Amino acid sequence: MWDGKLAELSKEFSAVAFIDTLFNQAFSKNTSDIHIESIEKGIAVRFRTDGILHKVTEVTHENAYHVIARLKVLAHLDVSERRLAQDGKFSFIKKNMPVDLRVATFPSLYGEHLVIRILDRSPDYFSIEKLGFLPDSKEQFCNLIKHSHGLLLVTGPTGSGKTTTLYSALNLINHQEKHIITLEEPIEYSFPGITQAQMRPEIGFTFATALRSVLRQDPDIILVGEIRDYETAEIAIQAALTGHLVVSTLHTTDAPSAVIRLIDMGVRSFLINATVTGVLAQRLVRALCSECRIPGSVPAEYQLLAQRFGVILQNVYEPQGCAHCYNTGYRGRIGIFELLRVNTEIKELITRRPSYQQLYDAAVAGGMRTLLHDGLLKVAHGLTSLSELARVIG
């Protein structure tokens, strides 16, 4: 357990006091998700902090119902409905600022499983400066998002920070003279000055149908939450061709794979060349705690690997753990990035329907820094550890 206070509250129980303390502890630890998991003897509570789940406490069976019921009331959900999944949301005050909380319930063997996503509204939360770009990559990415037209893609698995990167990009270019429209599923954060639309597939309001309507709203910049099929890709590309900047995401493992995915969807190569300006692939790694990190050694195989990229691993650090980082050795997360810019050489290659390896080799030859290369540089700069990089990249 991270803090005995929750355990004490579970003895002389008040659901209201328990939940208030739960939220305050989650906020202090920069937790992104709270898991309330029904187990045979009650509920278990876990925090996802810096991408890792940590067990916090358990609540007995006789008190578990009151916790779940209180959370469902706060989220405006049906307390009596335990057989179906439900979604809701509410706000909680943190340091005189509202924090949005999104609640999702799910029926499981021993009862309901609740996951509470914490959505920070801090003014500086969506900042390009905080994403973890190295200076040259940040400059290149900022140049791409300031284009007046074209298609810019961000790729990576679920939980790799794609939404945060896209919101930070929009935050940078959100000016009064620009009309920005977003198509999202779901809308996680609200932005002043931006028109945001929630997709509702159950009534036919999908990314593809919404994108057709958006083009009649005189937008300058369009964010499409995800390109999932040929129809959405085709309309997004048409929007980019007609003078709009379109930003979106794809679920691919790296940047070159995004181009191959578009080709496999059936998008014609000349349309990719005419619209796609760049692809950013990313992952999130935990940042070493600056208060307690300690010098570490570098195994020979990592030295050889780093030498392939021209990276010198001299002053590397390992996690230790202290009160500042709650004995994890890490505090916060940063991105590792792979930015593929579609230059003349890449365009010529795309017209020939290249294999993945051909495209990858051409991208690296053209200056693309791979995810592994970027991660090794961040290890060399003391920002993260070799073990954390290995955990994320594999």
Side-chain angles (χ1 to χ4, degrees):
M1 293 183 186
W2 283 12
D3 196 316
K5 192 170 183 181
L6 283 170
E8 292 172 14
L9 282 170
S10 64
K11 294 174 184 175
E12 299 179 7
F13 200 79
S14 160
V16 173
F18 180 85
I19 289 169
D20 285 351
T21 303
L22 187 73
F23 288 154
N24 286 323
Q25 287 200 13
F27 298 155
S28 71
K29 295 171 172 60
N30 295 318
T31 294
S32 62
D33 301 88
I34 301 171
H35 287 236
I36 310 290
E37 303 167 343
S38 291
I39 56 177
E40 189 172 9
K41 54 186 177 181
I43 56 173
V45 180
R46 293 196 289 173
F47 288 170
R48 186 178 295 281
T49 303
D50 298 334
I52 304 295
L53 279 170
H54 302 270
K55 186 174 180 180
V56 180
T57 191
E58 291 185 1
V59 177
T60 60
H61 185 74
E62 56 268 27
N63 295 325
Y65 170 79
H66 300 290
V67 173
I68 292 174
R70 171 65 178 167
L71 288 167
K72 290 174 76 173
V73 167
L74 287 171
H76 308 287
L77 301 178
D78 184 351
V79 177
S80 63
E81 180 56 77
R82 305 177 197 172
R83 301 163 300 169
L84 298 174
Q86 299 184 70
D87 292 293
K89 59 183 178 181
F90 64 100
S91 295
F92 195 87
I93 301 301
K94 167 191 170 187
K95 297 179 181 177
N96 298 320
M97 288 287 294
V99 175
D100 293 331
L101 301 165
R102 195 179 75 216
V103 181
T105 74
F106 189 79
S108 66
L109 176 63
Y110 294 111
E112 290 180 283
H113 184 127
L114 276 68
V115 175
I116 305 165
R117 169 64 58 88
I118 299 173
L119 305 171
D120 199 332
R121 281 202 228 169
S122 304
D124 62 344
Y125 186 76
F126 294 110
S127 168
I128 290 288
E129 306 298 329
K130 289 190 169 186
L131 296 180
F133 280 109
L134 293 173
D136 57 342
S137 297
K138 184 182 76 172
E139 181 181 1
Q140 292 166 4
F141 182 68
C142 288
N143 287 337
L144 289 174
I145 63 177
K146 290 176 181 177
H147 283 188
S148 60
H149 61 278
L151 176 61
L152 175 61
L153 298 170
V154 178
T155 77
T158 301
S160 59
K162 299 186 299 296
T163 300
T164 300
T165 296
L166 287 178
Y167 279 159
S168 298
L170 291 187
N171 206 28
L172 183 68
I173 57 179
N174 183 16
H175 303 298
Q176 190 173 0
E177 64 271 18
K178 297 289 185 183
H179 183 199
I180 302 175
I181 298 180
T182 71
L183 312 178
E184 304 176 59
E185 187 184 353
I187 296 173
E188 293 192 348
Y189 298 87
S190 60
F191 280 85
I194 294 179
T195 302
Q196 296 175 265
Q198 168 74 50
M199 298 301 94
R200 300 190 183 280
E202 68 276 10
I203 60 171
F205 194 54
T206 63
F207 285 119
T209 56
L211 197 46
R212 287 193 185 93
S213 300
V214 159
L215 295 178
R216 295 191 287 272
Q217 296 295 312
D218 188 32
D220 297 293
I221 301 161
I222 306 167
L223 182 149
V224 182
E226 184 183 347
I227 293 177
R228 299 174 178 172
D229 50 43
Y230 171 75
E231 186 181 13
T232 306
E234 182 183 41
I235 303 168
I237 283 174
Q238 290 300 323
L241 277 173
T242 53
H244 305 89
L245 174 63
V246 181
V247 294
S248 189
T249 70
L250 275 174
H251 282 286
T252 62
T253 55
D254 59 14
S257 294
V259 176
I260 301 297
R261 175 78 180 278
L262 290 175
I263 293 172
D264 289 344
M265 279 183 181
V267 179
R268 287 168 289 182
S269 56
F270 78 89
L271 290 175
I272 296 174
N273 286 342
T275 56
V276 178
T277 58
V279 182
L280 180 76
Q282 65 178 74
R283 299 290 188 278
L284 292 175
V285 293
R286 290 179 293 171
L288 282 165
C289 175
S290 58
E291 300 292 322
C292 67
R293 64 181 189 176
I294 57 174
S297 58
V298 182
E301 61 268 26
Y302 281 106
Q303 287 285 16
L304 291 172
L305 184 63
Q307 286 172 14
R308 284 174 44 198
F309 296 104
V311 178
I312 300 173
L313 294 178
Q314 266 185 337
N315 300 315
V316 301
Y317 295 89
E318 294 178 353
Q320 179 175 246
C322 66
H324 182 71
C325 61
Y326 305 100
N327 293 313
T328 65
Y330 298 95
R331 185 72 171 171
R333 289 192 290 177
I334 58 172
I336 54 175
F337 301 101
E338 178 178 284
L339 181 59
L340 167 61
R341 291 175 293 165
V342 181
N343 55 26
T344 303
E345 290 75 16
I346 296 295
K347 288 181 178 182
E348 289 177 357
L349 187 59
I350 289 172
T351 59
R352 302 196 294 270
R353 294 184 63 88
S355 67
Y356 165 81
Q357 194 60 51
Q358 289 173 320
L359 189 57
Y360 176 89
D361 291 343
V364 171
M368 182 185 79
R369 183 187 296 139
T370 66
L371 288 165
L372 178 57
H373 187 180
D374 196 60
L376 287 169
L377 284 172
K378 281 160 186 170
V379 170
H381 292 156
L383 300 175
T384 191
S385 66
L386 278 171
S387 59
E388 175 66 5
L389 180 62
R391 181 186 72 84
V392 173
I393 294 294

